[in-house]
Each structure stands twice: as structure tokens, then as C-alpha cells.
Amino acid sequence: MAEASPSDVTPAEAAAPPVTTYPVQFTGEPGEYFRLWIVNVLLSVVTLGIYLPWARVRTRQYFYGHTWLDGQNFEYTANPVALLRGYLLVGVLFAAYSISQQFQDYWWITGLLGLLFFALYPFLLYRSLRFNAANTIHRGLSFQFVGRPGGAYVAYLLIMLSVPFSLGLTFPLAVWMQRRYLLTHVAYGTTRAEFNKDVGVVYTIFLTAVAVMIAASVVVGVLALVGVVAAGGLGRLDDWFPNGGPEDSVVLFIILGVIAYVLLLLLYASVGQYLRAALLRYSLQDLYLGRTLRLQTSLNPVRLAWINVSNVAVQLITLGLATPWAAIRRTRYLMAHLQVQTIASLDDFQAAATPQESALGEAASEFFNFDLGF
């Protein structure tokens, strides 16, 4: 094969800067995190929940501190006292909501607080995103969330109102708008992320999930029918209970129904986890930060769905004691399949002024378990 001469190299190739790839590493260990987790649980119980903000911050500091990129770990710098104030305010409002439900004369308070939460939900999400970004640091440089509240209302409220009227057809569009709102407004220092992804891919992911759910339902139905036939046919079920009455046949039907129901739950849970994993891959793959940095992920949605489902099963069997192991297992898989490609040094990113952020949104996010899809 003839060697290429310098004259064969195009100007574009000659000018292309070298690409440096940085793998993301996670060094957390289940045993180590279990000690932190069990102390958090015990102190939260003993203090009747007062310790929850400290538990939350310590947990995030552990996971961030064990996530490494280019020889530097991430940091989480939230102030637990600020979180506690937010927790107390949200907790008081939630207590008022719950108590007012018990007395008919105060149902107007229930309605008022419910309406208030509905109206403030996008704003609290927006505040939570700003709070978490401002308290996430790498190489001494903090992240930012530069979105506006109006964008949150469009992505998390207005478009969601259209879902029932469109028979669910606009739900993938809503998911895409929410991802776009989250990711186009994230910045590392002064450099913003770019989210230029096609909404058609999100529809394809949802259609795949729906097709799998329909196929799985048919398979379970057929298996249940085969089970009945294999048990002797509808007319011979009484043979299984020669000393019993017709009620024993009913018991057998109930057992088969419960088995089919459990199988369907497992299948639906698996498909749900696949959906989340596929959307996560879609969001992270080829996510650009400015024009010099790109995220790449090789995670397999099926594999990640299996990890999530099996994690839940193990947590149920161990009555929750395997929660630290499950969290480390999932994070370790995600980080092992994530890498950063850049044509510039990470030191070239510049800091931006980071204002003090209110912890109210983050407290509400934790209290009501807002699902941001990550």
C-alpha cells in the first residue's frame, strides 16, 4: 500500500485538533457506602427527620467525591442548614394540607394548597436545578443552570396539559421538551451545553416500549391459557381436587391469575426501566458543551434496565439493607460507560459568577420526589 504524502492530506485534516478522551471513573464501594447510609438512616429516625438535609448532602458528597474525571473528583457544596429551612417550610405546608383533608370545614385550605403546589411545581423544579448546578464543582469550577422560569412552565406544565386531550400522543414531545430545557441551560463555568436532538427518536423509543408491552401482555395471556389447558382443561379442574368442591377450582383460577398479574407487573416494570435507560442514553450521547467538549456513553439500555429491576428485587428481599449495594452497582455501571472527549484542555474552561441560590426548590424536589428523568 502506498504511503500518503504530505500533499495528500487535506487542509481540513491538517487543521483538525487532536481529540483527547477522558473516561469517567467511579471509586465508591458498597461496604464503605453502607456505613455512611446506615448512619444517615439511624440519625434521621432518631431526630424525626431533622437530620435528612445532612444525610442528603453527605450522600451526594460521597457519590460526587468518588466520581473522577481527568484526575479530579467532583464536589457537592450545598449547605445542609439552607436545605433544612426549605424542608421545614415544605413540611409545614404539607402537614397543613394533610390535616385540612380530615376536616370538611377546612377543605378550602386543601384545595388552596393543592392549587398552589400545582402552580408552583415548575418554579420549584427550576429553583432545584439552579441550586444543584451551583453546588456542583469540578476542578474548582462550578456548574450553572441558566434557564428561566417561563421555560419550566412551558416544558413541565403547559405541554403536559395537552397530554390528556391528545390521548397521550404529545407525551413524548413533552419528554423531549423537558430534556431540552434541562440540557440546553446547563453550563460549566461560562460554557453552555448544546442539545440539538431530534424529537423523532423519543417517539421511536416510546413506540418500541409500547410494542414490547403489548407483545408481553399477549405472551402472558397465552401462557396463562396454556397453564389452564395443561392443568386439565376447564372441564377437568375438579380432578385436581377430588375431595374438594367447585370452590377449589376457583382457588386454582385465582392462583393462575395472581401469577399472571405478577408476571405482568414485572414485565411492565422492566419496560419502564428500559424506557428510562433509553432516554438517558439518548440525552447523554453526543451532548456537547460549547464546541470543544462532547459526552459519549456506551450504556446498554437493556443491561441498565436489568440492573435497576434486579436492584429493586434484591432490595425487597433484604428489606432495604441492600440499598447501598444497589446504588453503587448502578452508579458504577453508568460511570464505566461514560466518557468525555475534548479538543481543548479542561483547564481552558472559565469560571462564571455564581449567585447564592435558594434551597427551597431542592427541598421541595426531595420532599415530593420530583422525577427529572436522571
Side-chain angles (χ1 to χ4, degrees):
M1 180 181 295
E3 295 183 1
S5 65
S7 59
D8 296 330
V9 179
T10 64
E13 291 172 338
V19 177
T20 304
T21 300
Y22 298 101
V24 180
Q25 297 176 306
F26 180 70
T27 57
E29 294 292 336
E32 186 181 54
Y33 177 52
F34 179 84
R35 291 191 288 274
L36 171 66
W37 176 81
I38 196 68
V39 170
N40 283 344
V41 171
L42 293 176
L43 287 178
S44 297
V45 171
V46 170
T47 61
L48 302 178
I50 299 297
Y51 188 74
L52 279 175
W54 281 267
R56 181 64 179 177
V57 170
R58 290 182 69 201
T59 299
R60 289 204 172 186
Q61 286 177 339
Y62 179 84
F63 280 89
Y64 283 44
H66 284 82
T67 302
W68 298 78
L69 176 65
D70 189 26
Q72 295 282 333
N73 63 327
F74 287 78
E75 300 173 61
Y76 187 67
T77 59
N79 182 359
V81 176
L83 273 176
L84 178 61
R85 289 195 292 266
Y87 270 67
L88 290 175
L89 177 58
V90 175
V92 167
L93 291 176
F94 183 74
Y97 175 85
S98 301
I99 294 173
S100 63
Q101 282 185 308
Q102 310 303 318
F103 305 97
Q104 188 172 357
D105 291 343
Y106 297 100
W107 281 0
W108 64 272
I109 296 180
T110 305
L112 182 63
L113 290 176
L115 189 62
L116 184 65
F117 172 77
F118 183 74
L120 289 179
Y121 172 72
F123 180 74
L124 294 173
L125 275 177
Y126 156 77
R127 298 301 303 185
S128 174
L129 291 168
R130 287 185 64 92
F131 180 83
N132 277 318
N135 286 289
T136 301
I137 294 176
H138 184 255
R139 304 173 78 89
L141 203 60
S142 68
F143 285 77
Q144 289 190 89
F145 185 78
V146 296
R148 308 301 300 174
Y153 276 91
V154 172
Y156 287 93
L157 184 60
L158 293 182
I159 186 65
M160 292 300 291
L161 291 176
S162 72
V163 172
F165 301 102
S166 66
L167 301 178
L169 293 177
T170 57
F171 186 68
L173 175 63
V175 170
W176 176 79
M177 291 178 66
Q178 291 165 7
R179 300 294 167 120
R180 186 182 64 172
Y181 176 73
L182 287 171
L183 296 175
T184 55
H185 296 108
V186 170
Y188 179 53
T190 57
T191 307
R192 286 181 58 173
E194 298 177 8
F195 183 79
N196 301 313
K197 296 173 183 277
D198 186 3
V199 67
V201 179
V202 179
Y203 273 93
T204 302
I205 292 173
F206 272 91
L207 286 175
T208 302
V210 170
V212 171
M213 290 177 70
I214 293 174
S217 301
V218 172
V219 169
V220 170
V222 171
L223 287 177
L225 182 61
V226 170
V228 171
V229 173
L234 294 176
R236 297 177 54 195
L237 284 177
D238 290 344
D239 294 343
W240 282 52
F241 308 97
N243 299 320
E247 64 275 7
D248 293 321
S249 299
V250 175
V251 171
L252 181 57
F253 273 117
I254 292 175
I255 292 173
L256 289 174
V258 169
I259 293 174
Y261 179 70
V262 171
L263 283 176
L264 279 177
L265 283 182
L266 286 174
L267 287 169
Y268 290 163
S270 301
V271 172
Q273 290 300 329
Y274 166 81
L275 189 63
R276 292 173 62 87
L279 289 172
L280 180 61
R281 178 187 171 89
Y282 161 81
S283 301
L284 296 180
Q285 181 68 12
D286 291 331
L287 179 66
Y288 282 83
L289 202 61
R291 298 183 180 275
T292 58
L293 186 149
R294 179 176 66 174
L295 281 184
Q296 292 280 287
T297 179
S298 58
L299 74 86
N300 184 325
V302 175
R303 172 65 178 166
L304 182 56
W306 161 248
I307 289 175
N308 289 335
V309 172
S310 57
N311 275 353
V312 172
V314 174
Q315 288 174 269
L316 290 174
I317 293 171
T318 61
L319 302 178
L321 290 176
T323 298
W325 169 82
I328 294 292
R329 181 188 180 211
R330 181 179 187 275
T331 307
R332 187 178 288 170
Y333 177 80
L334 286 174
M335 296 301 126
H337 292 80
L338 186 64
Q339 59 184 21
V340 172
Q341 294 180 333
T342 178
I343 56 175
S345 169
L346 295 179
D347 292 327
D348 292 344
F349 289 87
Q350 298 178 348
T354 305
Q356 188 73 25
E357 297 294 344
S358 167
L360 177 60
E362 174 61 7
S365 176
E366 289 296 318
F367 196 90
F368 294 109
N369 193 26
F370 293 165
D371 186 3
L372 298 177
F374 288 92

